[in-house]
Amino acid sequence: MSVIDELAGELSKLPGIGRKTALRLTYHLLKQPRERSIRLARALETLAERVHPCQTCFNPTEDAECAICRDPRRDAAVLCAVEEAADIGAIERAGEFRGRYHVLGGRISPLDGVGPEDLTVSELERRVAGGAVTEVIVATNPSVEGEATALYLQQVLAPHVARVTRIARGLPVGGDLEYADGITIAQALSARREMP
Amino acid sequence: MSVIDELAGELSKLPGIGRKTALRLTYHLLKQPRERSIRLARALETLAERVHPCQTCFNPTEDAECAICRDPRRDAAVLCAVEEAADIGAIERAGEFRGRYHVLGGRISPLDGVGPEDLTVSELERRVAGGAVTEVIVATNPSVEGEATALYLQQVLAPHVARVTRIARGLPVGGDLEYADGITIAQALSARREMP
């Protein structure tokens, strides 16, 4: 296999990049100064070598704890539980939330064989069991699996924390939190309600 | 700048990949085993270090000459001039052409400041001036710049080679007349041939 096919093969494993796009990207890089490919390679290596989940919230970081967990101005009494680390960026861009996060690492989905034990649910339970947390905002996606995950979290967390809230259904049902605009996310946060 | 932003920044320099897609790809890689990122990085480095233009036809290769130029079964008397190396793959997949190639490295475009001296035109002239080439098929894209490049090549190459031909323009096979643009239909009409 040629080097070109090899790179195109690796690129086509990325989501949303098919064989033709992968080849187009490869030929694009061949036309660029080779420093471009080297810089991209270095960034990938650094990502693989230095980034790991935050020991507290599982947000990817280069340190033991992520920047948000280390920030003393962020309210440690309010946690926002999200499916993926990418969702944190979306919520941060909305500029509404001043608490801290917990990355679940997915959502409960029996059809895909994903149960609570595959997520960081027990770690969230342990964080909350300390007693310092007054509210957990469940910000899983407004999908069937996201709602099921929210219900499960509510049952598990209720004994430990005063309030388990769910972001409002201001988000379009079936949508993806990562792609929602900041105003929608801000409204969904401020309209959050107690889970019954 | 964080490692995540750095990789997303490098990825977003690729064509067709915006800031959000770049972030999505980065977070996707973070969820994969780190070997995936390492393999992609290695493929990029190998591309940057080992691949360079074929000394004869400018098709990217790891050797002095590309596999097509080295293949004795390929007819050295017929050259197909293409804008980009990626076009070779498209023509090879058609399985019709048994000659060799010449990668121009773009098309003449005065608006973009691209002249013949920025392409491998003089190298093509030198290849053809040897006298062993009987036909040059100009397979630049059927765009305004592609046509201008074809006309220029015809003028430059005519003194050296018996035939300078242009790939046919017309309706794409499997296409629909109803949705074809007027220029394509006009050319398909004026280039009509007797039915055998």
Side-chain angles (χ1 to χ4, degrees):
Chain A
M1 195 165 64
S2 84
V3 171
I4 291 172
D5 292 334
E6 212 166 295
L7 176 58
E10 288 299 327
L11 286 171
S12 67
K13 289 177 192 161
L14 295 172
I17 295 189
R19 208 180 57 87
K20 280 200 171 177
T21 305
L23 260 178
R24 189 167 54 85
L25 293 175
T26 303
Y27 279 114
H28 170 82
L29 284 169
L30 278 170
K31 290 192 73 181
Q32 304 291 315
R34 57 191 59 201
E35 289 71 40
R36 279 284 302 281
S37 300
I38 296 289
R39 272 209 307 278
L40 185 50
R42 294 275 175 283
L44 282 160
E45 278 171 343
T46 312
L47 188 85
E49 283 159 12
R50 292 228 297 264
V51 177
H52 47 253
C54 166
Q55 64 185 24
T56 305
C57 78
F58 297 90
N59 185 20
T61 176
E62 292 164 69
D63 305 292
E65 274 201 319
C66 76
I68 293 174
C69 285
R70 278 180 291 136
D71 187 345
R73 290 164 302 175
R74 303 290 299 229
D75 188 355
V78 183
L79 299 187
C80 181
V82 293
E83 293 183 18
E84 305 293 349
D87 299 330
I88 292 180
I91 295 176
E92 287 296 292
R93 277 192 294 281
E96 188 80 2
F97 181 64
R98 299 302 303 160
R100 302 190 183 184
Y101 292 96
H102 191 88
V103 179
L104 296 166
R107 68 278 177 285
I108 296 169
S109 173
L111 283 176
D112 300 321
V114 179
E117 67 282 0
D118 300 310
L119 310 178
T120 63
V121 172
S122 60
E123 286 87 348
L124 175 59
E125 224 182 318
R126 222 171 299 140
R127 272 181 91 177
V128 166
V133 176
T134 57
E135 178 178 2
V136 175
I137 304 173
V138 183
T140 51
N141 282 318
S143 62
V144 175
E145 291 94 347
E147 297 296 348
T149 308
L151 277 172
Y152 180 84
L153 287 180
Q154 193 222 349
Q155 288 168 13
V156 167
L157 300 176
H160 307 296
V161 63
R163 300 178 74 202
V164 180
T165 55
R166 179 87 175 100
I167 48 166
R169 277 179 182 270
L171 291 167
V173 175
D176 197 320
L177 193 79
E178 191 182 339
Y179 299 114
D181 65 287
I183 298 165
T184 305
I185 291 177
Q187 282 181 343
L189 278 169
S190 69
R192 68 186 184 275
R193 24 180 207 120
E194 298 285 340
M195 292 181 77
Chain B
M1 194 166 65
S2 85
V3 170
I4 291 171
D5 292 334
E6 213 165 293
L7 176 57
E10 289 298 329
L11 285 172
S12 67
K13 289 177 192 164
L14 294 172
I17 296 187
R19 208 179 59 86
K20 279 199 171 181
T21 305
L23 261 178
R24 190 166 53 85
L25 292 175
T26 303
Y27 279 113
H28 170 83
L29 284 169
L30 278 170
K31 290 192 73 182
Q32 303 293 315
R34 58 190 59 200
E35 290 72 38
R36 279 283 302 280
S37 301
I38 296 290
R39 272 210 307 277
L40 185 49
R42 293 277 175 282
L44 282 160
E45 278 171 341
T46 312
L47 188 85
E49 284 159 12
R50 293 228 296 264
V51 177
H52 49 253
C54 166
Q55 64 184 24
T56 305
C57 77
F58 297 90
N59 185 22
T61 176
E62 293 165 68
D63 306 292
E65 276 201 317
C66 77
I68 293 173
C69 285
R70 277 182 290 133
D71 187 345
R73 289 164 304 176
R74 304 289 300 229
D75 188 354
V78 183
L79 299 187
C80 180
V82 293
E83 292 182 20
E84 304 293 348
D87 300 329
I88 293 181
I91 296 177
E92 287 296 293
R93 278 193 294 280
E96 189 78 3
F97 181 65
R98 296 304 301 159
R100 300 189 184 183
Y101 292 95
H102 191 89
V103 179
L104 296 166
R107 69 277 176 286
I108 296 169
S109 173
L111 282 175
D112 301 321
V114 178
E117 67 282 359
D118 299 309
L119 310 177
T120 63
V121 172
S122 60
E123 287 85 349
L124 175 58
E125 224 182 319
R126 223 171 298 141
R127 271 181 91 178
V128 164
V133 177
T134 56
E135 178 177 1
V136 175
I137 304 173
V138 182
T140 51
N141 283 319
S143 63
V144 176
E145 292 94 347
E147 297 298 346
T149 309
L151 276 173
Y152 180 84
L153 286 180
Q154 194 220 347
Q155 288 167 13
V156 167
L157 300 176
H160 306 297
V161 62
R163 300 178 74 201
V164 180
T165 56
R166 181 88 176 98
I167 48 166
R169 281 145 299 164
L171 290 167
V173 175
D176 197 323
L177 196 75
E178 189 183 347
Y179 301 115
D181 63 286
I183 298 167
T184 301
I185 292 177
Q187 284 186 339
L189 281 171
S190 71
R192 68 189 182 277
R193 299 181 295 157
E194 294 292 335
M195 293 177 76

